[in-house]
Amino acid sequence: MKKWTMLVLVIIISISLIGCGNNQNVKRDSRKLNVVTTTTILADIVKNIGGDKLEVEALMGPGIDPHLYKASAGDVQKMMNADFIIFNGLHLEGKMSDVFEKLNKSDVKTIAAADVLDNSKLIESEEFEGNYDPHIWFDVKLWMEIVDVIKDNLIELDSENKDIYISNSEKYKDELKKLDEYVISRAKELPDDKRILITAHDAFSYFGKAYGFQVKGLQGISTAAEAGTLDVKELADFISEKEIPAIFIESSVPTKNIEALQAAVKDRGFNVEIGGELFSDSLGDPGTEEGTYIGTVKFNIDTIVDALLKGVN
Ligand SMILES: [Zn+2]
């Protein structure tokens, strides 16, 4: 082959390679779109929209506390190799902000799920001025808004499977609508003044606002802050005065603080039960019903209402 022919060939190949690199619509002839999320809650929503068209991985497994989680070198590698990264945002992943900053400068498509919600729908943090509570997922209607954003991003990356993403999203939103109705109907079994939810940390404010519960967490909206003795005293007074039948531990937070609260209530001459373990910042184990968002929400509302009903005469 003559030299100039070789040169032309090299140029053509180079141009076509550059073209592929710039193409947002990832070539997926040989592999599935690779989506990495921080929490299991986000991974579940993506799996419901993408079905078998995606490889989905959550960096944090079940029972992991996202407020304290630090990305490992392996996590960073997984994110760099991903086609699409979804994190919650609003500082839920408080120890990963540097990583997200670096990713912002890379070519990997990265979104914060909470960014798509209108600020008016967010709950302002009492502890951290100017910040919002990141636990958006336990208001099912709010969570439904995230579905379309993820669907639109998937279509942008992989237009070939557009119809599948659209039909899966519609189906999933119908299921979420039914789930929302279920939570509302179970909450209504409790009189308004008995809807008081006390848990290990403030993960249920959106849940409380949506379903009419007064919510108090022993720790604030981040588990990174310790519960003070004042908080324990105040809450113990509140529980014994109101004769609240049950308080709740959480799967991603150590139980010792809630047990200390239970003991402090006992010192005041009232017995409060541990009403069960709620899933707050992560789903349950894969393969179980609570390993899905829908199963988790059902499990939580059933646990809460069943335990609090014991205080209804
Ligand atoms: Zn939390």
Side-chain angles (χ1 to χ4, degrees), residues 67 92 135 201 203 221 281:
H67 303 283
L92 177 77
H135 304 89
H201 90 298
I221 59 166
D281 294 0

Side-chain angles (χ1 to χ4, degrees), residues 43-301:
D44 186 66
I45 199 171
V46 183
K47 283 176 195 163
N48 276 287
I49 302 166
D52 59 2
K53 299 295 168 199
L54 310 173
E55 295 282 357
V56 184
E57 186 174 1
L59 297 178
M60 306 171 191
I64 299 292
D65 181 344
H67 303 283
L68 304 177
Y69 187 82
K70 288 182 186 147
S72 68
D75 290 339
V76 175
Q77 198 57 48
K78 278 177 196 165
M79 287 189 270
M80 296 305 288
N81 293 336
D83 298 307
F84 184 21
I85 300 166
I86 309 167
F87 65 106
N88 185 83
L90 301 177
H91 305 288
L92 177 77
E93 302 94 344
K95 312 254 181 220
M96 289 178 72
S97 25
D98 315 351
V99 180
F100 295 135
E101 232 167 78
K102 272 183 208 142
L103 282 165
N104 258 338
K105 289 175 198 150
S106 77
D107 290 337
V108 188
K109 191 179 197 50
T110 306
I111 64 163
D115 278 357
V116 305
L117 300 174
D118 193 276
N119 280 3
S120 64
K121 293 179 181 171
L122 299 176
I123 297 174
E124 278 190 63
S125 159
E126 282 174 21
E127 302 149 82
F128 307 105
E129 210 181 315
N131 285 306
Y132 294 102
D133 183 333
H135 304 89
I136 50 176
W137 50 92
F138 285 138
D139 173 347
V140 180
K141 280 196 192 80
L142 213 53
W143 200 235
M144 282 170 73
E145 292 190 30
I146 311 287
V147 175
D148 280 333
V149 177
I150 293 178
K151 174 205 70 188
D152 291 343
N153 277 283
L154 287 173
I155 292 172
E156 220 176 275
L157 286 163
D158 174 27
S159 54
E160 249 173 63
N161 289 312
K162 181 179 175 182
D163 294 344
I164 293 170
Y165 297 141
I166 291 173
S167 85
N168 284 351
S169 304
E170 292 311 311
K171 254 187 258 160
Y172 191 52
K173 280 194 287 182
D174 283 345
E175 284 180 52
L176 292 180
K177 198 163 168 276
K178 281 187 202 128
L179 176 68
D180 188 52
E181 287 160 4
Y182 178 77
V183 179
I184 292 169
S185 76
R186 285 251 47 200
K188 279 188 180 156
E189 290 178 35
L190 289 167
D192 290 355
D193 64 336
K194 298 290 178 191
R195 288 188 212 167
I196 302 175
L197 176 62
I198 296 169
T199 63
H201 90 298
D202 265 334
F204 292 92
S205 297
Y206 290 93
F207 167 86
K209 193 178 166 200
Y211 306 110
F213 282 77
Q214 188 183 348
V215 173
K216 286 179 186 285
L218 189 51
Q219 282 174 285
I221 59 166
S222 169
T223 54
E226 278 290 315
T229 45
L230 186 70
D231 304 329
V232 175
K233 271 189 188 167
E234 270 177 24
L235 262 183
D237 287 342
F238 180 80
I239 293 163
S240 52
E241 273 161 29
K242 297 254 179 192
E243 299 191 343
I244 296 166
I247 54 179
F248 300 87
I249 53 177
E250 293 174 31
S251 61
S252 53
V253 184
T255 57
K256 64 177 191 327
N257 289 343
I258 281 289
E259 284 161 359
L261 177 62
Q262 187 185 31
V265 174
K266 203 170 182 197
D267 290 344
R268 284 157 177 76
F270 180 72
N271 277 325
V272 64
E273 300 274 332
I274 304 277
E277 184 180 68
L278 305 179
F279 295 96
S280 51
D281 294 0
S282 104
L283 304 179
D285 291 323
T288 65
E289 217 184 318
E290 294 80 43
T292 67
Y293 171 77
I294 289 178
T296 290
V297 172
K298 274 190 181 158
F299 178 89
N300 280 352
I301 189 69

